[in-house]
Amino acid sequence: MDNLELVLDARATLGEGPSWDAGKGLLYWVDIMESQIHIFDPGSGTDLKYEIGQYVGAVVPDRNNGFVIAARDGFFRFDPASGLLHPIGDPEAGIAANRFNDGKCDAKGRFWAGTMELTERSPGGA
C-alpha cells in the first residue's frame, strides 16, 4: 500500500454509502448532511452532484436509469433527468427525530436501510 492516490477530493461533510456500478463503471455515494447524491466517474474524474432537499443516507441505481434513495422522510425514487423525488413510503413517518442513515441492496435486489436518531443522543434508530 505504498502507492495510494487521492482520486476525488470531495471534501464531503458526511460522505457515506458507496455503491459501485460495475456495468457503468460509476460510484454512487451520498453526502448526508449536505443532502446530496453523487455520481463519480473514475474514468473521467467527474463527480456529478444532485441536491435532494433533505438528508439522504443511501442511494442505489434502479432499472430505469434512476435511483432509489433512503432519505430523511423515507424511501423515494429519484429521477436525475428531472431532479424529482417520487415517494415510495416512510416506515417511520411518526418518528420525526429519526433519519435514514445507510442502506444497500441484497443479492435479491431488495433495498435494506437503517435509521438513526438525528441528534445522536439516544439509540432511537431501527
Side-chain angles (χ1 to χ4, degrees), residues 7-8 25-27 29 38-49:
V7 296
L8 177 63
L26 299 172
L27 178 70
W29 63 281
H38 290 256
I39 304 172
F40 177 61
D41 180 347
S44 68
T46 60
D47 185 53
L48 297 176
K49 154 170 75 171

Side-chain angles (χ1 to χ4, degrees), residues 16-32:
E16 289 196 19
S19 179
W20 177 249
D21 185 331
K24 294 182 178 178
L26 299 172
L27 178 70
Y28 309 112
W29 63 281
V30 299
D31 188 338
I32 295 173

Side-chain angles (χ1 to χ4, degrees), residues 4-121:
L4 298 179
E5 177 186 354
L6 177 64
V7 296
L8 177 63
D9 191 5
R11 299 190 184 264
T13 303
L14 184 56
E16 289 196 19
S19 179
W20 177 249
D21 185 331
K24 294 182 178 178
L26 299 172
L27 178 70
Y28 309 112
W29 63 281
V30 299
D31 188 338
I32 295 173
M33 304 313 287
E34 299 302 323
S35 304
Q36 298 171 343
I37 293 171
H38 290 256
I39 304 172
F40 177 61
D41 180 347
S44 68
T46 60
D47 185 53
L48 297 176
K49 154 170 75 171
Y50 298 93
E51 303 286 338
I52 300 304
Q54 59 181 287
Y55 296 144
V56 56
V59 58
V60 294
D62 68 13
R63 294 183 180 130
N64 301 312
N65 293 316
F67 300 94
V68 177
I69 67 170
R72 167 73 175 89
D73 297 328
F75 293 100
F76 296 86
R77 289 198 180 278
F78 174 66
D79 176 11
S82 68
L84 295 177
L85 291 177
H86 304 281
I88 295 171
D90 186 357
E92 292 194 350
I95 308 174
N98 282 0
R99 68 167 173 84
F100 277 91
N101 183 50
D102 202 357
K104 292 283 185 272
C105 286
D106 67 13
K108 293 184 178 182
R110 298 173 295 194
F111 189 32
W112 294 80
T115 60
M116 65 176 283
E117 200 262 338
L118 279 166
T119 63
E120 301 181 39
R121 292 187 182 148

